[in-house]
Amino acid sequence: MRGLHGVLVSLVVVLSLVCSSCSNDEKREDLPNRTPAQIMTLNLAVSDRVNCIDGNPASLVICVYQLDMRRDFDGLVDDPASFQRLLEGEKFSDSVLGRERYFLNPGENKRILIERRPGTRLLGLAAGYYNSSPQDASLVIVLPSAERRMLRPAPSPVVLDIEVGRDSLSQKQR
């Protein structure tokens, strides 16, 4: 009896360890060995009428830039002829610490996990709408500090809800 009890206890312990390692924490699977403050989650809700061309919704590109300052990003947004550079997803200045490019489909809900680069203070988003102004097709979000400091709680994970509307980007408040 004792031996069977020990085996059952061991089996329960092993199963609980296996189940806890398979928890719903997708961040660990996609970005292993990162603290929650090093991971940014972008929840993108795409309108089913996004980027209409002749009345038909179309896919669009969105570029996400990790920035340490916004001046250069804003400069490209303010000049319609230069806005295309943001959609190319390239490093346009030293203020760009990281960049990623995604393609979104009408009606899609997409969750993106991004590793936060050291020094990132802002996220700049630029979307390739067919018929929108650069100001409507871009968004700059100020991020909470990711620095650990004495006598302050550890930085929280960054979770952002972004509305990819019919012809503009906006941040939904949590």
Side-chain angles (χ1 to χ4, degrees), residues 34-67:
R34 301 292 183 262
T35 65
Q38 293 173 309
I39 300 169
M40 297 182 290
T41 304
L42 274 63
N43 296 312
L44 302 169
V46 183
S47 167
D48 58 353
R49 301 293 302 156
V50 72
N51 203 26
C52 285
I53 302 170
D54 296 328
N56 297 313
S59 299
L60 91 151
V61 65
I62 188 166
C63 296
V64 180
Y65 291 93
Q66 295 186 52
L67 307 167

Side-chain angles (χ1 to χ4, degrees), residues 27-28 34-41 66 114-118 120 143-148 153-158:
K27 297 172 187 171
R28 294 288 174 210
R34 301 292 183 262
T35 65
Q38 293 173 309
I39 300 169
M40 297 182 290
T41 304
Q66 295 186 52
I114 300 174
E115 180 181 355
R116 185 173 182 170
R117 304 287 173 97
T120 299
L143 300 172
S145 174
E147 295 179 22
R148 285 187 145 255
S156 300
V158 173

Side-chain angles (χ1 to χ4, degrees), residues 9-30:
V9 168
S10 297
L11 183 60
V12 168
V13 168
V14 168
L15 284 175
S16 65
L17 288 173
V18 167
C19 289
S20 68
S21 69
C22 297
S23 70
N24 61 1
D25 188 5
E26 295 177 28
K27 297 172 187 171
R28 294 288 174 210
E29 293 172 16
D30 294 343

